[in-house]
Amino acid sequence: MKQAVIFSDSHGRIDPVLDVMKQYPKAEAFFHLGDIEGDDDRMRRATPYPVYIVKGNCDYFGSLPEQLVIDFASKKIAMCHGHRQMPYGVTDMLRYWGMEQKADIVMFGHIHTPLVLEEDGLFIVNPGSIAKPRQEGHIPTYCVMEVDDGGGVTFEIKNYIKGK
């Protein structure tokens, strides 16, 4: 089994991200889906494992890519912030974009609300915001992805509680 942790929309508040990263020593990759606001180097220095980060609409400086398509644990993952692929909150555009990328999983941020959808074998995942949540209760969230040896994938949205 391979494990990865997914973040988005930390908006310059990297401490919760680093705190969560310490809580998952078995994670083999970390994803940040934009609006990291200059903290990408600190995130990368916090782990020996791959850190994949895309540019969000608030990432004005730096050279982060707008989107990435990577392979992790036999899954093709298409990453974007979502502000360009989903300008009006419609996940259909993300689904079509993921299909164009021949992805198994589409990860996006921007809406600050956690979401896990699966349709026709394509997962669309948003971990919510680790710093500025917008869902009911306004609890900061992130997501843990696990891919088992048979290729089965699970996503668990987790509430962030400092130090736990």
Side-chain angles (χ1 to χ4, degrees):
M1 178 181 68
K2 293 196 180 241
Q3 184 182 70
V5 183
I6 310 162
F7 303 98
S8 191
D9 296 281
S10 53
H11 288 281
R13 297 178 185 163
I14 195 65
D15 290 338
V17 171
L18 300 177
D19 185 35
V20 170
M21 289 174 75
K22 290 178 196 170
Q23 296 174 40
Y24 291 90
K26 294 181 182 177
E28 296 182 44
F30 295 91
F31 298 85
H32 196 293
L33 304 170
D35 287 352
I36 195 167
E37 296 188 29
D39 288 324
D40 43 307
D41 286 338
R42 285 187 67 196
M43 187 175 174
R44 285 188 176 100
R45 286 193 310 266
T47 181
Y49 294 106
V51 175
Y52 303 101
I53 305 172
V54 292
K55 184 177 192 169
N57 60 301
C58 293
D59 293 319
Y60 305 113
F61 305 104
S63 59
L64 295 171
E66 292 275 337
Q67 59 191 36
L68 284 173
V69 179
I70 62 110
D71 291 310
F72 175 77
S74 75
K75 299 296 177 190
K76 191 168 192 177
I77 300 171
M79 301 170 53
C80 64
H81 185 59
H83 63 294
R84 297 196 192 284
Q85 291 80 3
M86 193 184 70
Y88 306 108
V90 181
T91 56
D92 284 346
M93 292 176 76
L94 283 167
R95 188 166 48 85
Y96 292 129
W97 178 71
M99 290 167 57
E100 287 176 347
Q101 306 305 316
K102 297 180 176 36
D104 301 301
I105 301 163
V106 172
M107 296 180 182
F108 76 105
H110 189 58
I111 62 172
H112 294 228
T113 304
L115 173 74
V116 177
L117 297 173
E118 189 270 327
E119 186 177 321
D120 298 325
L122 176 67
F123 287 93
I124 299 175
V125 179
N126 187 311
S129 174
I130 192 76
K132 295 183 176 185
R134 292 183 181 150
Q135 76 277 16
E136 186 176 332
H138 301 281
I139 297 169
T141 56
Y142 61 96
C143 183
V144 175
M145 175 178 72
E146 293 183 344
V147 182
D148 66 33
D149 295 337
V153 63
T154 60
F155 299 92
E156 185 177 356
I157 300 295
K158 301 274 205 166
N159 293 338
Y160 170 67
I161 301 168
K162 186 175 182 177
K164 291 189 177 184

